[in-house]
Amino acid sequence: MKEAAMQGAARPKEKSAVVRFIMSKKIHRNWPLYVMLIPVVVYFAVFCYAPMYGITLAFKDYKVRAGIMGSPWTTPIFKYFQQFFESPYFMRVLTNTITLSLQSLVLNFPLPIVLALSINEVRSLKFKKFVQNVTYAPHFLSVLVLVGIIKSFCNSDYGIVNIVIRALGGTGQNWLQVDSMFRPLYIGSNIWQNIGWDAIIYISALAGIDPTLHEAAMIDGANRLQRIWHINIPGILPTMVILLILNSGHIMNIGFEKVFLMQNDLNMSTSDVISTYSYRIGIESAQYSLSTAISLFNSVINCALLLIVNGVSRKLNETSLW
């Protein structure tokens, strides 16, 4: 019995030694790849993980002269979170953030799929390339240029939108100053700028579908719509699920730059989101601890949503990020 126990204890050690030997051989054989990883690891360590210590500002009464280390901890510890929740702006920025994110997700997510399926059915290679170039070219416009185009189009004096409205007998106005028009302009410009770029990954997934499946379906008498529904869509479904999970992790994370550039005093009721509110609190009002608490709250909600959606997806169709 003792000998058997000793042999059983020795086996894990032998296995671990074998694993270490195999790993060392792999590292020695592929050492150039590991050397190439060093700049990437250093970049993320210095610029992504090291600054995360700054989230302690959310739990400290930050004093500029004392610095992060010397500033005292708040009492109670969640003082700034409570201050944010009790703020009169809390419900407004939370509602605007969720509404704008969900509306963007509902409209921006399916349209690239429709575009990719449509382009995939085009037989003319020249026309297909032309459509792809036209649809994804706007993606390379900077946010500043895009907002400048929106402002020019919506200008009350010379904007093309108002010129058309006046030609039809209507009254022109600066549409960016109408609070109810902020969301349509924001979401519509997002669709125009990103639909072609987002469709690229679906076009690549469609190219990987076995053409013999379509040949067999055609022999069985399936028309084009039936082949799209029963072959193409199931073929890209895992890609759709993964991208939906990733997009769900950004529901609370509306991009700051575009919202901030499109924002003005007249559309603030619908354009004020968590990122712009945090900017005003932190940069303009110099309440750094409160601003950090707001951003940390936003990040925690995003992380929770990502975990929930990933777990639900894994249970429903066994497709998930991990």
Side-chain angles (χ1 to χ4, degrees), residues 86-299:
E86 295 175 352
S87 169
Y89 297 102
F90 172 70
M91 286 306 301
R92 185 178 80 172
V93 298
L94 183 64
T95 301
N96 288 340
T97 301
I98 294 175
T99 302
L100 194 59
S101 294
L102 289 179
Q103 289 180 351
S104 298
L105 181 61
V106 168
L107 294 174
N108 287 351
F109 182 74
L111 291 179
I113 300 173
V114 175
L115 178 63
L117 292 171
S118 302
I119 291 176
N120 187 64
E121 295 301 316
V122 175
R123 293 292 173 260
S124 173
L125 186 60
K126 290 184 178 180
F127 183 73
K128 182 184 292 188
K129 289 183 177 180
F130 172 77
V131 173
Q132 285 184 272
N133 290 332
V134 170
T135 53
Y136 74 64
H139 174 79
F140 299 99
L141 293 176
S142 68
V143 176
L144 186 62
V145 172
L146 177 62
V147 175
I149 293 173
I150 296 172
K151 289 183 177 180
S152 297
F153 278 25
C154 296
N155 187 276
S156 57
D157 296 325
Y158 55 82
I160 188 172
V161 175
N162 289 305
I163 292 174
V164 173
I165 291 174
R166 291 193 188 98
L168 297 175
T171 303
Q173 58 179 318
N174 192 331
W175 297 102
L176 272 177
Q177 295 179 355
V178 180
D179 56 355
S180 61
M181 290 300 299
F182 174 81
R183 289 170 187 163
L185 289 172
Y186 180 89
I187 297 172
S189 58
N190 265 355
I191 293 173
W192 174 75
Q193 185 178 26
N194 297 314
I195 184 173
W197 183 262
D198 294 340
I200 292 176
I201 190 169
Y202 296 113
I203 295 173
S204 301
L206 287 168
I209 296 176
D210 190 353
T212 59
L213 296 174
H214 286 277
E215 294 174 2
M218 292 172 65
I219 293 173
D220 291 337
N223 58 34
R224 181 171 294 183
L225 290 177
Q226 289 173 330
R227 286 187 283 114
I228 291 174
W229 182 257
H230 294 287
I231 298 177
N232 288 348
I233 293 180
I236 64 173
L237 185 60
T239 304
M240 294 165 55
V241 172
I242 294 299
L243 291 178
L244 180 60
I245 294 171
L246 293 174
N247 289 332
S248 299
H250 294 279
I251 285 179
M252 296 289 290
N253 192 21
I254 292 291
F256 166 77
E257 295 86 357
K258 187 176 178 182
V259 175
F260 181 74
L261 291 171
M262 293 178 64
Q263 196 175 79
N264 55 64
D265 293 337
L266 297 177
N267 65 18
M268 190 69 73
S269 60
T270 55
S271 66
D272 195 18
V273 295
I274 290 179
S275 57
T276 56
Y277 179 69
S278 176
Y279 167 81
R280 291 202 309 275
I281 293 296
I283 303 300
E284 296 181 2
S285 302
Q287 300 181 52
Y288 304 113
S289 295
L290 178 57
S291 178
T292 305
I294 295 171
S295 299
L296 180 58
F297 164 78
N298 195 34
S299 300

Side-chain angles (χ1 to χ4, degrees), residues 53-78:
Y53 178 74
I55 65 175
T56 56
L57 282 176
F59 308 98
K60 287 192 172 186
D61 286 319
Y62 179 66
K63 309 294 181 184
V64 176
R65 291 186 177 181
I68 298 177
M69 297 288 292
S71 299
W73 296 96
T74 60
T75 49
I77 195 66
F78 295 107

